[in-house]
Each structure stands twice: as C-alpha cells, then as structure tokens.
Amino acid sequence: YAELIRNRAFQGSTKFPSSLDAWTAVGGSSLSLKNLTDPLSTALPTSVNVKGTGTAGLTNAGFWGIDVRPQKYTGSFYVKGSYKGSFTAALQSVSGKVLASTKVTSKSVANEWVQHSFTLTPSKKASSSNNTFSLTFDGSVRFRL
C-alpha cells in the first residue's frame, strides 16, 4: 500500500477540519496546528508548528502501524522558515529500535515553503507492523520565518 502516513495533511473531517490524529510529539516537543494566511496551498491550508529544545519533532503511527520491509520508502515534507540544521527522517519500532533513518540537510528559506525529499531503505523486514515514522530536528537551532 503506497500511503503509509495517516493524516499526512493534518486534515480531519467536515466536523473537525484540522486534526493531529495519528501524530504525537517527540520528547518534550509541543505540536500545534496553524492555518496561515499563506498556506502551502488552498487545498492544504493547515500546517503543524513544532516547538521544543534538544531533539524535537513528531511521530506518525500510520494505519494500524507501518509494515517495514527491505525496500525503498520515499517521502517529502515542506518547511517554512529559515533553518540552518538538518532533519532526520526515520522508521522505527515502537520500542525505539531504528529500522532505517536518513539525514536531510535543510534547504529552507525565510518566508517560503521549501520541499525536502528523502529515501529510507531498511536492511531487513521488521518483526511486526507495530512501527512508526518520525521526523526530528535540533530544536535549539532557531527558525527564522
């Protein structure tokens, strides 16, 4: 199944149009939804704001977990604001074992949405489908919007 990330656009239903369903904060991070005056697109009006110090980020539980196999997983995310660090995209078991990870050097620019792409290639099949996807960064490095 091609779509592994649940609620990838932070959209809910007509009753609850914005939602963090399936997403949790990493460590002591906090997550909040924003409807900016200049969203990524009119079809995707909601973005997530991640705040934290040290390792900050968010994790997605997928659709009843993520079945990880030895194959390529490609993805992308958008960042708005200037960030001079790197991001880490990872697939990991719920026990915290990293199944695949990659560093993504930030190309972000102040006041613009910039797409960042990545590929994850696990070396073996996970023992269960109880796995997650996470995106983390160094929260002590400041963003400039």
Side-chain angles (χ1 to χ4, degrees), residues 3-60:
E3 184 64 48
L4 300 175
I5 304 301
R6 190 167 96 209
N7 190 19
R8 62 186 160 91
F10 311 107
Q11 295 175 323
S13 63
T14 52
K15 185 176 180 181
F16 301 104
S18 298
S19 168
L20 282 169
D21 183 44
W23 292 97
T24 57
V26 171
S29 302
S30 65
L31 307 178
S32 60
L33 295 176
K34 303 287 182 185
N35 287 314
L36 304 173
T37 56
D38 56 345
L40 181 60
S41 74
T42 55
L44 301 170
T46 305
S47 59
V48 66
N49 185 41
V50 181
K51 288 187 180 179
T53 58
T55 301
L58 61 171
T59 296
N60 188 279

Side-chain angles (χ1 to χ4, degrees), residues 6 9 19 22 27 48 68 70 75 78-79 84 95 108 110-111 115-116 123 127 131-132 134 136:
R6 190 167 96 209
S19 168
V48 66
V68 176
Y78 287 84
V79 176
K84 300 299 180 197
S95 66
S108 62
N111 298 313
Q115 185 176 21
H116 295 73
S123 60
S127 59
N131 307 300
T132 62
S134 66
T136 58

